[in-house]
Amino acid sequence: MAQDKSTSDRMEKIVSLCKRRGFIMQSSEIYGGLNGCWDYGPLGAELKRNLKDFWWRRMVRERDDVVGMDGSILMNRQVWVASGHEATFSDPMVDCRNCKSRLRADQLPEKDGKRQCTVCGSLDLTEPRAFNLMFKTYVGATEDESAITYLRPETAQAIFVQFKNILEVARKKLPFGIAQIGKAFRNEINPRNFTFRSREFEQMELEYFCRPEGGLELLEYWLKERLKFYKDIGISSELLHIHKIPPEECAHYSKGTYDIEFDFPFGIQELEGVAYRTDYDLTQHQKASGKLLEYFDEETKQRFVPHVVEPSAGVDRTVLALICAAYSEEMAPDEKGKLETRIVLKFHPRMAPIKCGIFPLLKNNEKLVRQAREIVKILRPHMMVFYDESGAIGRRYRRQDEAGTPFGVTVDFDTIGENGPTNEGTVTIRERDSMKQERVPILELKSLLLDRID
Ligand code: GAP
């Protein structure tokens, strides 16, 4: 899709901020990188962890009807045969005979009724061929057919194949769910838009098992729950779009799918799928493994294969959405009152990598430094804090604005009683978005910040 200059500029600025501030960097950069793979630096790793922790809290810990699991990435090849991935998890591809590029057939523009190469413009392309997206690998010492398996392309299948074990140990009645967060791998033909389409990424998936008659209602329920989740991590509903997939475009086993889409600078794109997958997966594994994957209903004395509703979100895509939603540029006065551009990441405090910056007004005043370090010690066990004593205080605020830190605590001469007893033992808290400051007693700092970051 063509992008106008302002949207591509915005994306460029976001990518450059991510690298400059250590959110996201190219994998193996010193060797020229590896297409579709990314590393998260100190701030990115915190942001990602906050997102995953909050998802886990909402989807598992705060619920009676969901348990968690953590499955292996490598599984028996038969899992992927039974799920249909080995035969059908593919994208249609064409080769350009002119420039030799390999391209996704379904993403090409057409000219005069023919697909056109997006690299050189040629119309001389091969017929589409299926290209399986799973990374193939060998388990053990021999590289023969019997040793083949794949890096998992989704976390969901581990949940399906462990359904019976978990049902027994968790002692749950339907409806109940199994949740998992973990890496997935897809050999995407065309990784693009920064981390949006990667070859290695993480998913946060819930398989919510239910009676067949409950499926459609639960699809609506989970759509609403997931929209609430996005609101609670600070993604405004104005940036989200719900796309109901037309029945003819749904997977053959799905009785309904919603895509939750986000307004990225490069266009409106999928963030999460919420799909009613019927009893397809469990039935496939039951047939292929020969093991019963049924549920026994004590009340009706009936046995049946449960149906499933699956909210499946991408960690990396949500991190990117959080950064895009938070990125803001505004004019603000510097210390001398001159207007300058202020770059701020307006993260919800819950998601912010660093919750609080702590600054002694001057680094060469022993009392100020000692008090500021004391505050670090008080807060550190409870939240991610960052101590910074270098440079003018205004510069230090700006650095934290760019990192998305919602609060800045400054220890000044009032704090240490050098301006009289009135404000002794108090500090200023600066709020990132309004830049307003308030004075609070050090003794109240911890509880006040804890209230505001959750
Ligand atoms: N178990 C269902 C499933 O995997 P999907 O729509 O293929 O469904 C779910 O993937 C989510 O995983 C997507 O909505 C997206 O957030 C994320 N995802 C999928 N492919 C991705 C990729 N190549 N790079 C980053 N995230 C991806």
Side-chain angles (χ1 to χ4, degrees):
M1 195 196 313
Q3 287 171 24
D4 69 34
K5 174 115 177 61
S6 67
T7 51
S8 67
D9 276 359
R10 183 174 164 81
M11 199 55 212
E12 255 173 49
K13 284 179 186 167
I14 289 171
V15 173
S16 127
L17 174 71
C18 282
K19 183 174 158 113
R20 181 158 43 84
R21 293 310 309 261
F23 279 92
I24 303 170
M25 302 157 295
Q26 214 185 2
S27 159
S28 337
E29 194 191 70
I30 61 168
Y31 290 102
L34 180 64
N35 202 4
C37 299
W38 301 93
D39 292 340
Y40 290 77
L43 291 176
E46 286 294 329
L47 176 61
K48 203 176 188 194
R49 188 166 291 273
N50 291 341
L51 171 66
K52 290 193 284 183
D53 286 351
F54 188 64
W55 187 92
W56 195 260
R57 172 177 143 191
R58 264 295 143 82
M59 303 292 274
V60 183
R61 295 203 171 142
E62 291 180 355
R63 301 186 64 105
D64 261 344
D65 57 349
V66 176
V67 294
M69 74 164 281
D70 190 2
S72 63
I73 287 171
L74 297 174
M75 290 191 277
N76 190 308
R77 179 183 183 176
Q78 295 314 314
V79 171
W80 307 110
V81 174
S83 67
H85 283 82
E86 193 175 91
T88 62
F89 193 59
S90 54
D91 278 338
M93 275 178 38
V94 294
D95 289 324
C96 172
R97 291 196 182 91
N98 184 44
C99 72
K100 313 292 175 216
S101 299
R102 182 159 283 181
L103 306 154
R104 250 180 81 165
D106 56 349
Q107 289 174 353
L108 294 180
E110 289 200 359
K111 194 176 168 198
D112 305 331
K114 285 182 160 180
R115 289 190 191 88
Q116 184 176 31
C117 173
T118 45
V119 179
C120 71
S122 166
L123 300 176
D124 189 9
L125 307 180
T126 60
E127 280 305 301
R129 276 174 296 126
F131 172 80
N132 196 294
L133 297 181
M134 288 195 294
F135 282 99
K136 197 182 263 184
T137 191
Y138 297 94
V139 177
T142 46
E143 294 195 358
D144 63 18
E145 185 70 14
S146 69
I148 287 176
T149 193
Y150 304 94
L151 302 189
R152 67 181 178 199
E154 62 170 16
T155 61
Q157 295 305 322
I159 299 180
F160 294 126
V161 299
Q162 288 294 357
F163 165 75
K164 197 74 184 191
N165 281 334
I166 294 178
L167 177 67
E168 272 160 25
V169 294
R171 301 165 62 87
K172 296 282 178 201
K173 293 211 164 89
L174 287 185
F176 86 98
I178 304 175
Q180 180 173 212
I181 300 178
K183 287 270 186 184
F185 303 82
R186 295 182 190 178
N187 198 2
E188 298 283 357
I189 296 159
N190 194 5
R192 67 202 159 116
N193 290 330
F194 200 22
T195 57
F196 177 82
R197 193 175 299 288
S198 307
R199 289 186 165 135
E200 174 174 342
F201 56 96
E202 271 183 281
Q203 291 183 316
M204 307 181 278
E205 297 199 296
L206 168 70
E207 304 303 324
Y208 196 75
F209 299 98
C210 61
R211 291 186 168 75
E213 60 276 18
L216 284 172
E217 206 175 302
L218 283 164
L219 176 67
E220 302 302 319
Y221 167 81
W222 278 109
L223 174 66
K224 286 204 194 100
E225 283 296 294
R226 298 302 303 145
L227 291 172
K228 235 190 275 164
F229 173 87
Y230 288 110
K231 181 164 166 272
D232 290 346
I233 60 171
I235 295 184
S236 116
S237 58
E238 279 144 46
L239 293 172
L240 293 175
H241 302 262
I242 300 160
H243 175 52
K244 191 171 181 62
I245 308 291
E248 64 277 13
E249 285 176 30
C250 283
H252 63 92
Y253 49 78
S254 169
K255 276 204 182 153
T257 299
Y258 289 106
D259 279 352
I260 301 177
E261 299 174 329
F262 177 80
D263 208 342
F264 288 99
F266 45 82
I268 294 172
Q269 298 277 353
E270 178 189 334
L271 205 52
E272 164 159 1
V274 185
Y276 174 20
R277 296 174 71 121
T278 65
D279 59 355
Y280 173 77
D281 301 272
L282 287 181
T283 304
Q284 288 295 105
H285 289 302
Q286 180 166 275
K287 268 195 245 156
S289 68
K291 303 280 174 357
L292 282 181
L293 298 177
E294 291 175 338
Y295 175 83
F296 179 64
D297 188 328
E298 304 274 359
E299 280 160 34
T300 61
K301 308 288 178 220
Q302 277 180 329
R303 280 180 195 283
F304 60 95
V305 175
H307 280 219
V308 75
V309 174
E310 174 198 67
S312 169
V315 175
D316 309 75
R317 275 189 196 179
T318 311
V319 166
L320 186 58
L322 283 167
I323 295 173
C324 292
Y327 185 87
S328 137
E329 283 176 17
E330 53 198 39
M331 298 309 284
D334 68 7
E335 288 186 324
K336 296 186 184 115
K338 198 174 133 238
L339 281 183
E340 61 171 10
T341 306
R342 179 172 93 110
I343 296 175
V344 200
L345 288 180
K346 296 186 170 177
F347 291 129
H348 189 293
R350 210 172 246 155
M351 291 294 111
I354 300 168
K355 309 300 182 192
C356 183
I358 298 163
F359 318 113
L361 191 60
L362 299 173
K363 75 168 171 191
N364 52 10
N365 180 303
E366 202 191 315
K367 268 183 155 179
L368 292 176
V369 168
R370 199 177 331 119
Q371 181 61 78
R373 291 208 180 270
E374 195 51 42
I375 293 173
V376 170
K377 258 200 228 149
I378 296 171
L379 296 181
R380 191 164 263 167
H382 307 279
M383 66 191 77
M384 187 71 187
V385 296
F386 186 79
Y387 174 82
D388 188 1
E389 59 178 26
S390 64
I393 192 73
R395 289 279 127 220
R396 286 183 258 166
Y397 287 150
R398 290 287 191 273
R399 284 203 288 266
Q400 290 308 310
D401 288 344
E402 262 195 355
T405 307
F407 303 105
V409 164
T410 304
V411 174
D412 58 15
F413 291 106
D414 280 16
T415 316
I416 55 174
E418 295 209 352
N419 292 332
T422 321
N423 286 329
E424 192 171 357
T426 66
V427 287
T428 61
I429 298 188
R430 171 190 183 264
E431 199 272 327
R432 177 196 63 206
D433 299 348
S434 64
M435 295 189 281
K436 289 213 174 95
Q437 305 204 7
E438 61 182 312
R439 273 209 102 82
V440 298
I442 294 172
L443 287 174
E444 289 171 21
L445 203 51
K446 186 182 97 188
S447 64
L448 192 143
L449 287 172
L450 282 176
D451 272 357
R452 293 184 191 179
I453 62 177
D454 192 39

